[in-house]
């Protein structure tokens, strides 16, 4: 009996089916059978399936006598399956490398649960890839095995058929099957989740979910989309006679309404002429299934109120053309801004008179750019060890849509922002909060910083006017005086921080919380990250991460990336990471369009990029200190070292070649750089020895548990009476 039965439904996917089949059969986990169902496809899908079945005994070919739709095709496949676990794929999707091994390992670790959920990435026809919004939620479960009553937040997982595996005995014993019509996967997803006694998760990015140009049948408007109301009616009928599931009715109701409105707003599902009728049916469904004690979330309240009233006019009022909305906002700002600013300052002063909230922590990173860096690692560990502390992020309005699922946030300048900032006991940042922030007695400020310093920082920048233009050192010291704690990753950093940021704060020599993942990620985690970035398993990935230069504007490649890439050969891929403060450059975009590089400048996790890379190519960026934890090759391209050292200042001679100063091979020119890779010096014994000494010096405090040490030092943790700092 194979471990996995992969059921693949194929209809009009002849251009993608081989990739799908190869992605499964090429996995280094052979204990699998593929049940490939030709749903009477009018193209060559059936022939392709027969070809693969003739060549590989693990492939079972099933041919439907007539086109029955994806649900019935999957049901037909299940009848032929013999594996321990079922996994459903569409014929245009693929599995990421090593997915089956990663799933098998997690199944063994969790004792063969009824359902195991995993993560996915969307791939688009134009080469774009977009991670799902559920990675953090999946990761939050760890190796816990639970029911949906234990963790109802998992009802928010994307209700699809391919991001989970079902224990086949569980699936067949309960008589599960896909229903007719589209949205059949949503109904089955909820029914199986509500029934299972043992659920488990992994944040392995295993599914590559393809979005083709022009979409699929589910993205063509028409009458067939109205079946969604019937599908959710079936779900609520399933709840009848199951009083133990009553606590979940409000959330399931909310999920149904959100799905209805999502489809309503998608012209690929609901044609403009059908929108009013769709809205009326959604209203009818609302009143037919409204559970007691249902309260919509604040972000959904207006839409749900319009739905309850059956007022499509009220709902459409939220859809003013963007240009009119912008005009209205500009007018409001012009008239109300002075008054609003005074009102907000008064509001802030009012909340400052209220007591601190001892269970409120505020987080920010890189000037409110999102859930990132050391603050993010501390936030997630605090949710685990100090769950009584509520974490709220300060986030720019432009970054809200990119936030992970479940993140509570406030936008700078809003009323909730001033209330939150005034009352929070804990404030955690990797740069600094605004100068007008009042440090209240009893409040605790943690400055995490964001990297080991090579270049001069803080007060040392006074010696370099070019790099400190417009910087007020008096204001800097006032901000530093608000710190209660600051983090350090090594002795070098401790010495620098205490000198350049002088004040009475306490240094926590814990290591860098953001780097815990570099020491705890396994090969399957890394394979998933590489797959999500589109890095083929056989290719060597080099992360090119140059630092900011104050004497240049924007991202100016110091290398002819086209020449370097061609010299490195087709088996090497360059990941280009411009500094986050650099503006976007069309030149880099063109390089990516031509397949010469992958622009990862906008990727939210530098740590994941480091894990994906087989080697680091940088100049003077502090990423070299973090990357050294991985004990992988580091190459320094220092064509402007003399200029950089003179304009910014450095704490040691990176190019000296001395152990503990130079992390690996050095190139001063582009020709030298190409030679370093061609003749193997990038990873020869000398480079390995230099890297080891560099790692010993600058990775001194990191051991994979930095976030835990910080959380225990900062917050009262239930299992640590004194909330103290455990030893390294």
């Amino acid at each position: 009996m194979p471990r996995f039965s992969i059921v693949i439904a194929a209809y009009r996917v002849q251009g993608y089916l081989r990739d799908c089949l190869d992605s499964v059969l090429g996995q280094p986990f052979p204990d699998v059978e593929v049940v490939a169902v030709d749903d009477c496809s009018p193209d060559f899908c059936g022939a392709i399936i027969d070809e693969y079945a003739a060549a590989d005994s693990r492939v079972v070919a099933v041919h439907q006598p007539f086109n029955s739709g994806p649900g019935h095709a999957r049901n037909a496949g299940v009848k032929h399956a013999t594996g321990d676990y079922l996994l459903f794929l569409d014929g245009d999707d693929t599995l990421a490398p090593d997915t089956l091994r990663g799933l098998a390992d997690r199944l063994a670790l969790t004792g063969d649960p009824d359902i195991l959920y995993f993560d996915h990435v969307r791939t688009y026809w134009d080469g774009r890839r977009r991670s799902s919004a559920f990675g953090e939620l999946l990761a939050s479960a760890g190796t816990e095995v639970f029911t949906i009553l234990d963790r109802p937040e998992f009802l928010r997982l994307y209700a699809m058929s391919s991001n989970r595996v079902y224990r086949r005995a569980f699936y067949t014993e309960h008589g599960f099957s896909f229903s007719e019509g589209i949205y059949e996967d949503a109904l089955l997803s909820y029914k199986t989740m509500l029934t299972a006694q043992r659920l488990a998760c992994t944040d392995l990015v295993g599914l590559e979910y393809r979005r083709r140009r022009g979409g699929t049948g589910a993205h063509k408007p028409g009458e067939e989309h109205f079946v969604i109301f019937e599908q959710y009616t079936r779900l609520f009928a399933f709840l009848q006679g199951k009083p133990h599931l009553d606590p979940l009715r409000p959330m399931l109701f909310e999920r149904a309404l959100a799905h209805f409105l999502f489809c309503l707003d998608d012209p690929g599902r609901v044609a403009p002429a059908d929108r009013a009728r769709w809205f009326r049916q959604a209203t009818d469904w609302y009143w037919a299934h409204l559970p007691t004690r249902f309260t919509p979330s604040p972000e959904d309240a207006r839409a749900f109120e319009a739905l309850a009233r059956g007022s499509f006019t009220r709902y459409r009022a939220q859809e003013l053309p963007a240009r009119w909305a912008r005009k209205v906002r500009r007018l409001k700002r012009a008239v109300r801004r002075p008054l609003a600013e005074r009102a907000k300052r008064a509001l802030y002063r009012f909340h400052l008179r209220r007591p601190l909230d001892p269970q409120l922590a505020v987080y920010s990173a890189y000037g409110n750019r999102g859930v990132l860096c050391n603050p993010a690692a501390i936030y997630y560990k605090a949710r685990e060890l100090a769950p009584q502390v509520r974490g709220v992020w300060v986030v720019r309005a432009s970054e809200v849509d990119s936030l992970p699922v479940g993140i509570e946030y406030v936008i700078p300048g809003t009323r909730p922002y001033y209330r939150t900032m005034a009352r929070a006991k804990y404030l955690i940042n990797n740069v600094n909060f605004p100068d007008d922030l009042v440090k209240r007695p009893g409040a605790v400020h943690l400055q995490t910083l964001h990297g080991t310093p090579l270049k001069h920082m803080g007060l040392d920048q006074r010696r370099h006017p070019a790099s400190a233009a417009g910087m007020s050192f008096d204001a800097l010291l006032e901000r530093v005086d608000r710190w209660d704690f600051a983090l350090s990753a090594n002795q070098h950093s401790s010495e620098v921080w205490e000198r350049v940021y002088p004040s009475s704060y306490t240094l926590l020599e814990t290591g860098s919380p953001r780097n815990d993942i570099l020491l705890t990620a396994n090969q399957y985690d890394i394979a998933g990250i590489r797959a999500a970035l589109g890095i083929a398993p056989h290719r060597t990935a080099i992360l090119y991460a140059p630092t900011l230069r104050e004497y240049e504007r924007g991202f100016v490649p110091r290398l002819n990336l086209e020449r370097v890439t061609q010299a490195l050969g087709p088996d090497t891929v360059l990941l280009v990471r411009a500094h986050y403060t650099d503006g976007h450059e069309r030149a880099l975009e063109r390089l990516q369009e031509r397949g010469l590089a992958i622009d990862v400048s906008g990727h939210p996790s530098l740590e994941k990029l480091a894990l994906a890379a087989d080697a680091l190519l940088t100049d003077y960026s502090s990423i070299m200190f973090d990357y050294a934890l991985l004990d992988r090759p580091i190459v320094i391209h220092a064509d402007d070292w003399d200029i950089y050292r003179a304009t910014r200042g450095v704490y040691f001679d990176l190019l000296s070649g001395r152990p503990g100063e130079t992390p690996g091979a050095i190139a001063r020119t582009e020709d030298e750089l190409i030679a370093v890779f061609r003749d193997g010096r990038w990873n020869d014994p000398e480079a390995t020895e230099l890297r080891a000494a560099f790692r010993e010096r600058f990775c001194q405090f990191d051991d994979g548990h930095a976030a835990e040490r910080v959380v225990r030092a900062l917050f009262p943790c239930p299992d640590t009476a004194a909330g103290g700092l455990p030893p390294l």
Side-chain angles (χ1 to χ4, degrees), residues 213-263:
R213 188 167 188 258
T216 62
H219 290 84
K220 295 177 181 177
E223 192 66 27
E224 63 271 19
H225 287 274
F226 281 79
V227 76
I228 192 172
F229 301 108
E230 183 179 342
Q231 301 287 25
Y232 279 101
T233 296
R234 291 171 179 169
L235 174 61
F236 273 70
F238 173 79
L239 297 175
Q240 295 300 320
K242 300 178 177 65
H244 67 289
L245 296 177
D246 284 348
L248 301 178
R249 281 178 176 269
M251 182 173 287
L252 288 167
F253 183 77
E254 182 272 333
R255 299 309 301 150
L257 298 185
H259 202 169
F260 299 159
L261 296 179
F262 171 80
C263 294

Side-chain angles (χ1 to χ4, degrees), residues 353-542:
R353 293 194 292 269
R354 301 176 65 194
L356 285 173
D357 184 343
Q359 307 298 347
L360 177 58
V362 171
Y363 296 83
S364 177
Y366 297 121
N368 309 326
R369 289 177 57 242
V371 182
L372 303 165
C373 195
N374 289 318
I378 295 167
Y379 166 78
Y380 286 116
K381 185 57 68 172
R383 293 208 312 192
E384 174 187 337
L385 299 179
Q388 77 283 2
V389 178
R390 175 171 146 250
V392 178
W393 283 83
V394 182
V395 181
R396 301 175 188 174
S398 60
E399 302 295 334
V400 167
D401 290 342
S402 64
L403 290 178
V405 65
I407 295 296
E408 185 176 355
Y409 66 90
V410 292
I411 297 173
T414 63
R415 292 177 181 273
Y417 166 82
Y418 286 108
R419 180 178 64 249
T420 302
M421 297 300 290
R423 301 205 59 205
K425 177 177 176 65
Y426 307 98
L427 295 101
I428 299 99
N429 208 329
N430 71 347
V431 282
N432 271 298
F433 288 103
D435 291 347
D436 58 0
L437 176 70
V438 175
K439 173 65 181 299
R440 299 184 61 181
V444 178
H445 285 228
L446 169 65
Q447 169 58 257
T448 72
L449 302 158
H450 52 275
T452 294
L454 166 65
K455 63 188 177 184
H456 282 179
M457 301 291 290
L459 296 184
D460 282 349
Q461 289 181 256
R462 292 177 297 183
R463 289 179 271 169
H464 305 280
S467 70
M471 184 175 179
S472 169
F473 291 99
D474 290 338
L476 169 67
L477 292 176
E478 289 178 4
R479 293 191 293 268
V480 171
D481 285 340
R482 297 193 306 224
W483 303 355
D484 295 291
F485 299 100
L487 300 189
S488 172
N490 44 61
Q491 180 179 339
H492 165 75
S493 295
S494 296
E495 293 176 0
V496 172
W497 298 152
E498 289 193 359
R499 186 179 69 253
V500 303
Y501 300 125
S503 193
S504 59
Y505 59 85
T506 299
L507 268 178
L508 299 180
E509 295 180 322
T510 57
S512 296
R514 70 179 184 186
N515 288 339
D516 287 350
I517 188 175
L518 301 182
L519 294 167
T520 57
N522 58 41
Q523 59 181 322
Y524 305 113
D525 299 327
I526 295 170
I529 296 168
R530 286 173 63 96
L533 290 168
I535 304 171
H538 69 278
R539 301 189 78 183
T540 298
I542 299 176

